[in-house]
Amino acid sequence: MIEENTKIRLKFSEIAEALRDGRVEMDGDGLLLVSDDVACTGRVETAGCAGLKSETVYRLANGALTTLLHSAMSMNPKAMAALAEWYAVGERDESRGGGLGALLDMMKKAAGGEVAEADAQEGGAE
């Protein structure tokens, strides 16, 4: 019997095996993805969001991300390039939290429009 305030520790390898064996019950909408040296496996649940944009996103992401990870692990150059691009986008967006990024965001709002990406990159290079 598990006490109420006892934390259960889960091992990644056990989670991966359980997901592959269909032993993980998806009791909420979302996407669960596991990737290791064996395979990339995803499970999606959309019962509570049927017909909504999130259903489409979860289903597309499941197929796309598992394929992308498998392809990248197989050293497919296009898959590696896609991962590198989205990694760079994430790094750029994270760095915009302060400094120049915050200034560019304020300028966009003040101008009531978009600051061209090329302009943002030129400003960041100086």
Side-chain angles (χ1 to χ4, degrees):
M1 186 165 196
I2 299 173
E3 292 183 30
E4 190 172 315
N5 58 354
T6 301
K7 291 187 178 184
I8 299 172
R9 297 186 55 89
L10 302 172
K11 291 184 179 180
F12 174 77
S13 59
E14 293 172 348
I15 295 169
E17 183 180 342
L19 191 63
R20 288 187 189 106
D21 293 346
R23 294 182 285 126
V24 174
E25 180 181 344
M26 297 284 290
D27 62 347
D29 293 335
L31 170 64
L32 187 57
L33 185 72
V34 66
S35 183
D36 59 13
D37 60 344
V38 175
C40 183
T41 305
R43 294 287 182 266
V44 66
E45 177 56 58
T46 60
C49 62
L52 301 177
K53 178 176 69 173
S54 54
E55 177 186 23
T56 302
V57 171
Y58 289 141
R59 292 191 182 283
L60 288 172
N62 184 42
L65 293 174
T66 53
T67 300
L68 177 62
L69 286 170
H70 174 75
S71 294
M73 291 297 226
S74 300
M75 299 308 291
N76 177 309
K78 288 184 179 180
M80 294 296 284
L83 289 177
E85 178 181 355
W86 284 104
Y87 175 82
V89 167
E91 288 293 307
R92 181 200 62 208
D93 291 348
E94 191 174 301
S95 70
R96 282 190 166 187
L100 179 62
L103 177 61
L104 288 171
D105 289 341
M106 279 194 314
M107 289 171 53
K108 255 199 285 196
K109 287 179 184 176
E114 296 288 323
V115 174
E117 190 65 32
D119 294 342
Q121 290 173 354
E122 287 177 13
E126 294 180 337

